[in-house]
Amino acid sequence: MKVTNKPILLVEDDQVDTMTVIRALKEIHVTNRLVHLENGEEAVSYLRDPESEKPCIILLDLNMPIMNGIEFLQVVKRDDHLKRIPVVVLTTSEEQQDKVNSFNMGVAGYMTKPVDYRQFVEVMRSIDAYWTISEMP
Amino acid sequence: MFKNLTIKSRLIFILSFLLIFVLGIQVVGLFGMSSAIGGLKTVYLDRSIPLSQVTHIESLLLHNRLAITSALVMPTREIIENKTATVEKNIETIIRTWEAYIATNLTPMESKLANKFALDHRKYISEGVLPAVAALRANKIGEANRILVEKIRPLYPAVSETIDALVLLQIDETKIKYTEEQKRYQTIRNILIASIVLALVLAALFSLIFIRSIFRPLEDVVNIARSVAAGNLRQEIQVRSKNEIGQLMQALKEMRDSLVDTIGRVRDSEAHTRALLNNLIVGVTSVDEQGAIRSFNPAAERIFDYPESEIIGQNIGLLFPPQGQGQDQHIDYLENYLKTGSKAFGVTTEVAGLRKNGATFPLDIAVVEMHGGERRMFVVILRDISERKLVEEQKASLMADLESANEELKSFAYVASHDLKAPLRAIGALADWLSTDYADKFDDEGREHMRLLVSRVHRMGNLIDGILQYSRVGRVRETPVAVDVGEVVEDVIELLAPPPNINITVENHLPTVIIEPTRIQQILQNLISNAIKYMDKPRGEIRITCIAEGEQWKFSVVDNGPGIESRHFERIFQLFQTLAPRDRIESTGVGLALVKKIVEMYGGSVGLESTIGKGSTFFFTLPKTSLIDNSTKGTAA
């Protein structure tokens, strides 16, 4: 990541998927701190908490209890302080409707989680590479 | 017999009769005139002339005596000569006149007197006059005087009396004859008057006969015609004669019979129509321009629960629930029909009906204008569709249930597969980490087990992907666009990157079809990849062809691979069915099922022909109707 002092926010309910992300990030040597929250609601309250550090990027699962990814996006993208934070969707869903909804909400990327861990590492590497090159506000 | 004559011949007959009658009167008149003229002639010849003759004789006799007397008074020579000549001349005249008189038509009385006169006169002349004349001529005056005193004076009165009597008799006879002729005149006049009167009577009589024989029957005809017009068709019409009136009556009778016949047929037809109306299962009612009900058939009675007697004359608005302004809405409805004109007529519309008990129900209604009468009439056709509506509602709810069940089934396959994937991914990741992190702890068998575990995770991932793909067909729809199948084939070949020992050719120009691009790609990718995957020959030949077959395009993928036994033809198109063990050839068994599902969704069919050891031909059809022929710019691979 270009900015290393800001945390990466992971919104994910599945424990193994969380472990996968952490392991992959470690494997590709991303040093940013990782903030893990289990659903949209927790993530919103974290982001709105003035005490908490604002993340440089949000990795978002769509299928979550309490508040799902799309609902989370609806809240965040209407918030003037939060809407510029890039959000990359990391999901199992290959549903067209989910892709359309996500991009309507202005996501920065949409990745499906591969079954194979090796391929997952490659996905994470691509995200890191992109956000290392890309300028951020 | 007279009755059977025609009026024309009767008229001719009567006119001829009158003509003959008038001619007869004329003849009688003429005859009378001529006999009157004859009478006049008789009076003149037989009476007037003899009277003048007798009078003449009388005067001549007197003259003779006076002449003799005067000659004796002055017996000069000259006078004697003169008077005796006169006397002789007079005698001669008397004899001539007498002879003429005797020749006339004498009555017996006259003849008697005439004979006496002839005797007396002859004696008077021979004994008196002639001797006196002779004595005078001899100048024997004394002798002459003596003859006068002794002969002429005593003989003369007898002659004079007889001639007087004849004169009187002649006057009497003339009077008698005149009276006779007068009487005859009167007779003729009377006959003529009588004839005229008779002619008048006859004329009156004929008029009466005419009235009786023509005008009376004519009036009868008029009365019968009027009574027929008034509707009395059962009356007796008797044809009494063969004349024109009889013919008229006959014609009237025929007309009446034909009318009765026609009315009978009309009644039959009406009865037929009525029976039809009464037994119709749809309600039929006729309505006038004001909306008043004129007829109401039994089906309409059943629909609305009103007896016909009660509803006739009522406004049709009674049969519909009041809306908005009030009861008159159906009149407005009718008026709308009238305003909008014929295009709205005959079109069935669904409205609400109102039964007698106040219940409303769905009703199909169609209004048809009836032509023919002076006023506009409308036939309203009504059908109670409450039962049909009920069935329709049941059907609709059943359909909704079915649809939701189908929807559930579709999303079930998707959701289930989706949710299976997350734990599978966890298993895959964990197995990967175990074999990486604890590589040195595993022996060869352990490592082999871990490899098999990861490969099964992959296989299961593929299966789940297959299910997702399969369930997505028909559930997720792209917009069909014009797709050049030739280009799709090129893309697919490039994507599959066939090994160099397999040659793929496109034999003819492939058309452009209107289809979802992903679906046509899935079809071709599955068929071509199967041909590559199962190829068992050192030189593989795969050919792609397309021919027009009626309303469809028939695409074929022909290979020279192992071929398939015909008993498997059905099985291979079922989901998850494969013919080779999965460990030898990695296959999910989704591909052909997917192809079949897509092709059938587009109204096509899929199938194959195969010879064991020689190869297979998989074909599928797509309808041309949604296709655009593009064979002119087809591409070859």
Side-chain angles (χ1 to χ4, degrees):
Chain A
M1 292 285 153
K2 195 181 188 92
V3 191
T4 49
N5 57 344
K6 281 186 177 181
I8 295 169
L9 176 61
L10 173 66
V11 191
E12 171 65 80
D13 63 322
D14 189 283
Q15 200 193 341
V16 180
D17 280 348
T18 309
M19 284 166 65
T20 315
V21 172
I22 292 168
R23 190 180 168 109
L25 286 176
K26 191 178 165 193
E27 204 166 315
I28 59 170
H29 312 294
V30 173
T31 54
N32 297 56
R33 192 167 66 87
L34 188 99
V35 177
H36 171 237
L37 295 167
E38 286 191 335
N39 62 57
E41 204 173 68
E42 284 180 15
V44 170
S45 57
Y46 170 82
L47 289 170
R48 287 199 172 146
D49 184 357
E51 304 252 310
S52 58
E53 258 185 300
K54 297 288 170 289
C56 64
I57 191 166
I58 300 169
L59 300 177
L60 179 69
D61 187 21
L62 288 183
N63 197 8
M64 291 179 295
I66 301 173
M67 182 190 264
N68 70 22
I70 300 294
E71 288 163 335
F72 169 80
L73 280 169
Q74 282 167 350
V75 175
V76 168
K77 292 298 173 185
R78 281 199 199 111
D79 192 314
D80 284 344
H81 300 289
L82 307 175
K83 67 181 179 189
R84 280 180 298 276
I85 305 170
V87 180
V88 175
V89 174
L90 266 180
T91 179
T92 330
S93 171
E94 287 181 45
E95 202 62 6
Q96 184 71 9
Q97 197 56 46
D98 283 339
K99 295 174 192 168
V100 170
N101 287 340
S102 301
F103 279 92
N104 281 346
M105 289 296 148
V107 296
Y110 190 103
M111 312 282 169
T112 50
K113 300 172 188 163
V115 170
D116 186 51
Y117 170 71
R118 291 285 133 218
Q119 287 175 24
F120 190 83
V121 174
E122 292 313 308
V123 168
M124 291 313 292
R125 201 190 300 281
S126 306
I127 295 171
D128 176 49
Y130 180 79
W131 289 109
T132 303
I133 299 161
S134 176
E135 296 287 340
M136 273 193 243
Chain B
M1 189 201 82
F2 192 64
K3 272 180 186 166
N4 290 338
L5 290 178
T6 62
I7 291 169
K8 197 166 87 180
S9 35
R10 266 194 256 180
L11 267 176
I12 290 168
F13 177 79
I14 287 164
L15 283 175
S16 320
F17 180 80
L18 281 173
L19 193 68
I20 289 164
F21 189 78
V22 169
L23 277 174
I25 290 171
Q26 295 268 341
V27 168
V28 168
L30 273 175
F31 177 75
M33 290 294 279
S34 62
S35 75
I37 287 164
L40 273 176
K41 201 177 168 189
T42 316
V43 169
Y44 176 70
L45 289 176
D46 291 357
R47 297 297 159 237
S48 298
I49 290 172
L51 180 62
S52 69
Q53 284 169 336
V54 175
T55 320
H56 195 205
I57 289 168
E58 191 187 14
S59 73
L60 285 174
L61 278 172
L62 190 63
H63 195 240
N64 273 359
R65 193 183 156 183
L66 280 172
I68 290 166
T69 308
S70 63
L72 278 173
V73 171
M74 283 180 17
T76 65
R77 186 87 209 148
E78 196 180 342
I79 289 169
I80 290 168
E81 279 292 316
N82 200 5
K83 291 300 178 187
T84 52
T86 306
V87 169
E88 280 178 340
K89 193 185 161 213
N90 281 349
I91 289 168
E92 209 176 316
T93 311
I94 286 168
I95 290 164
R96 227 177 31 244
T97 307
W98 182 253
E99 280 170 355
Y101 170 70
I102 292 297
T104 63
N105 192 7
L106 296 179
T107 63
M109 188 68 174
E110 266 188 306
S111 301
K112 205 173 151 191
L113 277 171
N115 287 337
K116 191 179 177 257
F117 174 78
L119 280 172
D120 289 348
H121 190 248
R122 204 173 299 138
K123 193 176 177 186
Y124 170 67
I125 293 296
S126 59
E127 290 180 14
V129 178
L130 285 178
V133 168
L136 276 172
R137 282 208 184 127
N139 216 6
K140 294 166 187 171
I141 299 314
E143 177 71 10
N145 212 8
R146 202 220 5 123
I147 292 168
L148 180 71
V149 176
E150 289 178 4
K151 292 291 180 179
I152 291 172
R153 276 188 190 158
L155 283 173
Y156 184 74
V159 173
S160 176
E161 272 170 28
T162 315
I163 205 81
D164 276 354
L166 268 174
V167 168
L168 284 172
L169 185 69
Q170 206 56 242
I171 288 168
D172 281 351
E173 280 295 321
T174 308
K175 263 187 191 163
I176 290 164
K177 203 71 190 171
Y178 176 77
T179 315
E180 238 174 59
E181 291 306 315
Q182 198 81 5
K183 273 185 186 161
R184 190 182 286 175
Y185 265 125
Q186 274 177 351
T187 310
I188 292 165
R189 194 189 62 192
N190 288 344
I191 287 171
L192 280 172
I193 288 169
S195 308
I196 289 163
V197 170
L198 189 64
L200 283 173
V201 168
L202 278 174
L205 198 68
F206 285 140
S207 307
L208 268 174
I209 291 171
F210 252 98
I211 288 168
R212 286 185 67 89
S213 68
I214 297 170
F215 295 104
R216 208 59 61 72
L218 261 181
E219 272 173 24
D220 286 352
V221 171
V222 169
N223 286 337
I224 287 168
R226 286 214 176 111
S227 137
V228 167
N232 179 11
L233 299 171
R234 293 270 166 262
Q235 64 181 323
E236 193 66 27
I237 298 179
Q238 276 184 346
V239 181
R240 291 197 190 88
S241 61
K242 288 180 182 165
N243 63 12
E244 285 91 336
I245 290 168
Q247 289 166 13
L248 187 64
M249 197 66 103
Q250 182 65 37
L252 192 68
K253 194 176 175 181
E254 281 164 14
M255 192 178 86
R256 197 267 320 260
D257 290 347
S258 139
L259 202 62
V260 167
D261 193 37
T262 309
I263 288 171
R265 260 183 283 145
V266 168
R267 283 195 182 139
D268 282 352
S269 155
E270 204 201 325
H272 181 73
T273 311
R274 185 141 289 280
L276 215 64
L277 266 183
N278 288 348
N279 295 305
L280 268 182
I281 55 159
V282 294
V284 178
T285 166
S286 59
V287 178
D288 67 13
E289 224 168 341
Q290 277 71 44
I293 292 169
R294 294 304 187 83
S295 73
F296 208 65
N297 79 337
E301 287 180 342
R302 283 196 297 277
I303 291 172
F304 290 97
D305 257 353
Y306 282 103
E308 188 182 11
S309 53
E310 200 176 308
I311 198 76
I312 293 288
Q314 300 270 22
N315 195 283
I316 193 156
L318 200 65
L319 303 178
F320 302 92
Q323 271 182 9
Q325 300 95 342
Q327 294 284 115
D328 293 345
Q329 68 96 17
H330 192 74
I331 304 179
D332 297 345
Y333 179 66
L334 253 184
E335 275 172 9
N336 283 341
Y337 265 102
L338 301 185
K339 275 176 202 152
T340 50
S342 57
K343 64 180 175 182
F345 283 110
V347 178
T348 306
T349 323
E350 196 184 313
V351 297
L354 183 67
R355 282 192 234 276
K356 194 184 177 186
N357 61 13
T360 58
F361 62 100
L363 182 71
D364 261 357
I365 181 172
V367 179
V368 181
E369 190 172 351
M370 198 159 57
H371 297 281
E374 281 174 18
R375 298 168 67 189
R376 291 179 84 176
M377 289 285 288
F378 303 93
V379 175
V380 183
I381 296 149
L382 306 150
R383 187 190 289 132
D384 185 348
I385 53 166
S386 39
E387 272 179 38
R388 200 185 76 196
K389 288 295 271 190
L390 207 67
V391 171
E392 271 175 16
E393 275 166 24
Q394 284 172 347
K395 212 158 93 179
S397 94
L398 213 66
M399 280 298 287
D401 287 353
L402 260 175
E403 258 166 40
S404 79
N406 196 33
E407 203 55 48
E408 232 168 76
L409 206 66
K410 275 184 190 168
S411 53
F412 172 78
Y414 172 74
V415 171
S417 327
H418 196 264
D419 289 353
L420 284 172
K421 246 186 148 179
L424 183 66
R425 197 173 50 247
I427 295 166
L430 290 167
D432 189 81
W433 300 338
L434 279 173
S435 48
T436 311
D437 296 354
Y438 303 97
D440 51 336
K441 299 270 194 315
F442 284 120
D443 56 7
D444 284 350
E445 197 181 356
R447 270 194 292 279
E448 176 61 12
H449 287 172
M450 286 310 289
R451 190 190 62 78
L452 283 172
L453 178 63
V454 171
S455 87
R456 292 302 182 270
V457 166
H458 281 174
R459 186 180 293 169
M460 188 162 174
N462 287 336
L463 280 169
I464 291 169
D465 282 343
I467 295 171
L468 282 172
Q469 256 189 347
Y470 186 82
S471 74
R472 211 176 271 140
V473 173
R475 189 173 60 86
V476 179
R477 304 204 74 155
E478 296 170 35
T479 314
V481 292
V483 180
D484 185 335
V485 180
E487 281 176 18
V488 175
V489 170
E490 270 188 276
D491 291 348
V492 167
I493 292 167
E494 201 175 316
L495 186 78
L496 292 172
N501 65 322
I502 293 175
N503 183 32
I504 303 179
T505 50
V506 177
E507 289 214 330
N508 47 8
H509 300 303
L510 299 178
T512 293
V513 299
I514 305 283
I515 195 167
E516 294 168 80
T518 314
R519 302 293 169 236
I520 184 72
Q521 186 174 356
Q522 282 175 321
I523 295 170
L524 290 163
Q525 189 172 334
N526 275 297
L527 292 178
I528 297 170
S529 74
N530 278 350
I532 296 168
K533 195 156 53 177
Y534 295 100
M535 181 56 67
D536 59 347
K537 306 286 187 302
R539 292 225 48 88
E541 283 293 338
I542 298 172
R543 292 180 293 118
I544 293 147
T545 65
C546 176
I547 52 163
E549 210 181 65
E551 292 302 302
Q552 295 192 313
W553 292 115
K554 184 179 181 182
F555 296 91
S556 304
V557 177
V558 187
D559 66 56
N560 62 342
I564 299 165
E565 284 179 63
S566 61
R567 63 190 171 103
H568 299 310
F569 283 4
E570 261 185 51
R571 184 188 181 82
I572 55 171
F573 289 103
Q574 288 168 9
L575 197 59
F576 301 136
Q577 295 296 326
T578 56
L579 295 179
R582 284 206 168 82
D583 285 334
R584 188 149 57 80
I585 294 174
E586 193 62 48
S587 167
T588 57
V590 172
L592 285 175
L594 189 70
V595 169
K596 185 176 159 78
K597 192 176 178 186
I598 294 169
V599 168
E600 286 178 356
M601 196 178 72
Y602 278 92
S605 62
V606 65
L608 75 152
E609 289 157 3
S610 182
T611 315
I612 293 291
K614 295 234 170 127
S616 308
T617 301
F618 281 85
F619 56 82
F620 64 96
T621 61
L622 287 173
K624 274 182 188 174
T625 44
S626 59
L627 314 177
I628 296 165
D629 182 26
N630 198 27
S631 54
T632 47
K633 72 165 193 113
T635 49

